[in-house]
């Protein structure tokens, strides 16, 4: 099937174009406004490094990009690009500093009132993640995070508080960021203080059960408190290809994909699938259910959101089990794909593939809430005298991925929107660097802590503004 080179895609009129960040990577102000410590405040090297007893000066997230004080300027820049939606998260420890209090912190609540008001002033819909890799540190240390069933109640109190507070301002919600990442990063994703190597599969999957019950409870609460809102799950998508056509490799892929599909299956169907019951049997795992858990899990999501950065391969051949340096959740590099500076393989077609896979499986609307290219950017003086970044590599990456979103729309997939990751430079989650930049907006801060925190529009800023203004028609195939 040939297509003409000037083919345009029919993005829906109400398609939600925008960008995404997380509170812990952008806000800073880790000890201001009554905020308590979170797990991120003691993870100065991101998921790659060890945790510290107390916050240390080398932790870039303590200041982040100082969005806590600069959010008005930043939202104005998002509005200049034409954002319809802005995905951010609420820092749980701004609302409940320790996590187990009975009463919330009013100063923290007011900050998000101000932020959401600023978004709505420009007609930007907030898309809010309740828990984005930042469990209150007290809950991690005192309760071992989601291993402890008491976390469900703490999370319900927090969710109820923010749903009631922002019910007139926020119509799109997500329960947990990349919930399946708990399999690889139990501390960052699940607030589990027990070191990963000492964590039993029994404890890990019991923690996952608690999170899934809490997520379903948040769905129920959201539907009760904000009837006109939509609430979804958020999954780290990692499409996986067999390294060879050997049936052993194909079965290996199926088993690997089950470990991630499991989280979507639970959120959409509300029941443990047969393949997980087999896994539990074969690994001596027994999920402890309490009365009401099975009924609660049947509160299923309105849509599925996901991140997409890369695909990976699997093989059953032990001689070929070579991990890729950038593949955060396992997998083998694909010999047909290039990689970013951080070893993340670049596969635009994988996005079309995963959109089709999810839609075929769930028949629910999909929302791409993270996708982007981390790269080292050079700030230069442009022809008009303004400082900028000539980030054609980022434009190419995003263009090619959005073309595949257009293809998926042609395939009949129901896609709500697209929020590129790190629409303004933020501190990286994986390595806690600022050198690894994703944004359309350059932030003058560096890994040694130097910089003015000034904001500069990159070349991609103007490109994305055109994409939004044309509703995708400016994309180049």
């Amino acid at each position: 099937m040939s297509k003409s080179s000037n083919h345009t895609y029919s993005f829906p009129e109400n398609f939600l174009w925008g960008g995404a960040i997380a509170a812990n990577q952008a806000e800073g102000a880790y000890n201001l406004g009554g905020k308590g410590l979170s797990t991120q405040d003691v993870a100065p090297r991101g998921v790659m490094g060890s945790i510290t007893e107390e916050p240390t000066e080398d932790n870039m997230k303590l200041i982040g990009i100082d969005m806590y004080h600069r959010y008005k300027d930043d939202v104005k820049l998002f509005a200049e690009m034409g954002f319809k939606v802005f995905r951010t998260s609420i820092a749980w420890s701004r609302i409940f500093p320790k996590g187990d209090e009975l009463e919330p912190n009013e100063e923290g609540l007011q900050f998000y009132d101000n932020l959401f008001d600023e978004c709505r002033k420009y007609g930007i819909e907030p898309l809010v993640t309740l828990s984005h890799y930042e469990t209150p540190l007290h809950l991690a240390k005192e309760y071992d995070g989601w291993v402890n069933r008491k976390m469900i109640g703490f999370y319900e109190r927090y969710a109820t508080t923010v749903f009631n507070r922002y019910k007139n301002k926020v119509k799109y919600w997500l329960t947990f960021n990349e919930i399946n990442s708990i399999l690889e990063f139990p501390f960052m994703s699940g607030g589990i203080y027990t070191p990963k190597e000492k964590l039993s599969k029994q404890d890990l999957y019991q923690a996952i059960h608690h999170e899934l019950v809490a997520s379903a409870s948040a769905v129920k609460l959201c539907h009760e408190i904000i009837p006109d809102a939509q609430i979804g799950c958020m999954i780290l998508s990692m499409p996986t290809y067999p390294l060879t056509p050997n049936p052993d490799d194909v079965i290996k892929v199926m088993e690997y994909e089950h470990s991630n599909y499991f989280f979507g299956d639970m959120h959409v169907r509300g029941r443990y699938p047969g393949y997980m019951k087999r896994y539990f049997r074969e690994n001596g795992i027994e999920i402890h259910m309490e009365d009401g858990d099975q009924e609660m899990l049947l509160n299923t999501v309105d849509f599925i959101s996901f991140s997409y950065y890369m695909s990976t391969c699997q093989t059953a051949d032990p001689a070929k089990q070579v991990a890729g340096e950038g593949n955060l959740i396992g997998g083998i590099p694909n010999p047909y794909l290039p990689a970013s500076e951080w070893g993340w393989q670049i596969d635009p077609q994988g996005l079309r593939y995963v959109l089709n896979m999810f839609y075929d499986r769930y028949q629910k609307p999909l929302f791409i809430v993270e996708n982007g290219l981390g790269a080292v950017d050079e700030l230069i003086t442009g022809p008009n005298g303004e400082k900028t970044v000539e980030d054609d590599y980022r434009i190419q990456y995003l263009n090619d991925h959005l073309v595949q979103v257009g293809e998926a729309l042609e395939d009949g997939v129901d896609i709500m929107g697209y929020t590129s990751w790190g629409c303004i430079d933020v501190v990286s989650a994986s390595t806690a660097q600022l050198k690894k930049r994703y944004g359309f907006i350059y932030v003058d801060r560096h890994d040694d802590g130097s910089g003015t925190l000034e904001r500069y529009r990159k070349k991609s800023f103007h490109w994305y503004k055109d994409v939004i203004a044309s509703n995708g028609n400016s994309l180049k195939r």
Side-chain angles (χ1 to χ4, degrees):
M1 286 167 55
S2 64
K3 291 193 176 80
S4 63
S5 58
N6 62 356
H7 178 83
T8 57
Y9 296 104
S10 300
F11 282 80
E13 277 306 305
N14 58 352
F15 193 79
L16 291 168
W17 295 98
I21 61 154
N24 70 84
Q25 293 167 260
E27 284 176 7
Y30 82 101
N31 59 355
L32 299 182
K35 181 183 174 293
L37 294 180
S38 87
T39 49
Q40 289 288 353
D41 297 325
V42 294
R45 294 287 167 268
V47 299
M48 303 304 191
S50 53
I51 58 176
T52 55
E53 194 56 38
E54 298 291 331
T56 52
E57 277 189 16
D58 61 337
N59 188 339
M60 298 288 289
K61 287 166 286 194
L62 304 186
I63 293 172
I65 58 166
D66 194 33
M67 191 179 268
Y68 186 80
H69 295 109
R70 297 166 182 258
Y71 68 90
K72 288 188 177 181
D73 292 338
D74 293 338
V75 172
K76 188 177 181 182
L77 285 166
F78 302 154
E80 187 184 327
M81 274 187 280
F83 278 21
K84 308 279 192 284
V85 63
F86 171 51
R87 178 184 174 221
T88 188
S89 62
I90 294 174
W92 188 346
S93 62
R94 274 203 199 286
I95 311 303
F96 289 95
K98 291 171 74 176
D100 57 1
E101 299 95 337
L102 295 177
E103 296 300 324
N105 167 38
E106 175 56 31
E107 208 173 336
L109 287 166
Q110 188 59 51
F111 169 72
Y112 293 106
D113 265 322
N114 298 343
L115 174 61
F116 302 150
D117 286 345
E118 200 65 22
C119 289
R120 296 195 74 86
K121 181 171 105 180
Y122 294 102
I124 298 171
E125 291 283 352
L127 166 61
V128 176
T129 313
L130 289 169
S131 179
H132 192 132
Y133 288 169
E134 49 189 336
T135 309
L137 186 60
H138 173 74
L139 297 184
K141 286 186 169 181
E142 188 70 22
Y143 299 93
D144 209 14
W146 285 98
V147 170
N148 194 316
R149 190 176 173 96
K150 287 182 179 174
M151 288 288 288
I152 298 173
F154 302 145
Y155 181 83
E156 286 172 335
R157 184 181 301 144
Y158 160 58
T160 301
T161 301
V162 296
F163 289 154
N164 277 310
R165 180 74 172 223
Y166 308 122
K167 61 187 174 187
N168 297 319
K169 301 180 183 184
V170 180
K171 300 303 180 190
Y172 299 98
W173 297 88
L174 305 176
T175 56
F176 290 95
N177 181 66
E178 294 184 332
I179 188 168
N180 49 322
S181 63
I182 192 173
L183 296 172
E184 296 293 329
F185 310 117
F187 177 70
M188 184 175 76
S189 185
I192 298 172
Y193 210 67
T194 299
K196 183 183 175 185
E197 61 275 11
K198 294 182 180 172
L199 187 65
S200 69
K201 284 184 178 177
Q202 171 67 43
D203 281 348
L204 178 60
Y205 278 93
Q206 190 62 46
I208 289 167
H209 175 73
H210 296 152
E211 269 200 279
L212 290 167
V213 171
S215 185
S217 180
V219 171
K220 181 173 185 284
L221 288 163
C222 185
H223 287 158
E224 289 168 357
I225 297 168
I226 327 176
D228 59 338
Q230 294 185 60
I231 184 164
C233 57
M234 200 296 210
I235 295 165
L236 191 165
S237 80
M238 184 80 82
T240 307
Y241 311 138
L243 195 61
T244 74
N246 186 323
D248 289 346
D249 284 6
V250 176
I251 294 297
K252 183 82 174 177
V253 165
M254 182 188 80
E255 292 173 346
Y256 179 79
E257 294 236 282
H258 277 162
S259 69
N260 288 315
Y261 273 134
F262 159 56
F263 292 85
D265 289 356
M266 291 296 292
H267 277 100
V268 174
R269 298 179 182 140
R271 290 185 297 276
Y272 278 90
Y275 61 80
M276 283 313 294
K277 292 177 180 176
R278 174 179 182 170
Y279 179 82
F280 294 160
R281 281 196 308 273
E282 292 180 354
N283 288 275
I285 297 166
E286 195 170 325
I287 301 296
H288 300 299
M289 292 242 189
E290 291 204 0
D291 287 348
D293 281 7
Q294 285 181 306
E295 291 78 7
M296 183 61 80
L297 288 168
L298 292 171
N299 290 282
T300 54
V301 292
D302 301 311
F303 64 95
I304 298 106
S305 78
F306 64 91
S307 60
Y308 176 75
Y309 294 100
M310 66 187 115
S311 59
T312 185
C313 292
Q314 287 288 340
T315 179
D317 183 349
K320 296 177 182 170
Q321 300 273 1
V322 184
E325 62 167 304
N327 287 4
L328 294 180
I329 60 171
I332 293 145
N334 188 323
Y336 295 96
L337 294 175
S340 76
E341 293 167 83
W342 274 265
W344 292 26
Q345 292 202 288
I346 298 170
D347 178 17
Q349 286 173 290
L351 180 51
R352 177 187 178 188
Y353 176 75
V354 85
L355 282 162
N356 273 274
M357 289 298 108
F358 279 151
Y359 195 62
D360 288 349
R361 193 175 185 98
Y362 300 129
Q363 298 289 299
K364 291 249 186 187
L366 304 178
F367 205 141
I368 306 148
V369 295
E370 287 188 31
N371 170 239
L373 177 68
V376 177
D377 289 342
E378 184 187 357
L379 191 67
I380 61 166
T381 303
N384 57 1
E386 287 187 9
K387 288 185 176 177
T388 188
V389 174
E390 297 278 345
D391 56 342
D392 294 282
Y393 42 87
R394 182 170 293 111
I395 291 170
Q396 185 75 55
Y397 177 99
L398 293 169
N399 179 86
D400 292 352
H401 282 76
L402 283 167
V403 162
Q404 295 300 323
V405 176
E407 292 287 344
L409 286 163
E410 300 272 340
D411 294 331
V413 179
D414 183 357
I415 309 171
M416 295 168 65
Y418 174 90
T419 55
S420 73
W421 176 251
C423 47
I424 181 170
D425 291 344
V426 294
V427 181
S428 158
S430 57
T431 59
Q433 294 173 289
L434 247 163
K435 183 172 81 168
K436 185 182 185 184
R437 297 175 183 274
Y438 284 87
F440 301 116
I441 300 160
Y442 183 94
V443 177
D444 184 30
R445 186 166 189 238
H446 309 282
D447 288 350
D448 62 1
S450 66
T452 62
L453 289 166
E454 285 299 300
R455 275 57 164 157
Y456 301 102
R457 298 166 185 81
K458 301 180 191 178
K459 186 175 180 180
S460 58
F461 179 102
H462 306 287
W463 169 84
Y464 196 47
K465 182 179 180 179
D466 288 344
V467 170
I468 297 173
S470 70
N471 201 27
N473 282 330
S474 64
L475 295 169
K476 291 182 171 59
R477 303 181 32 78

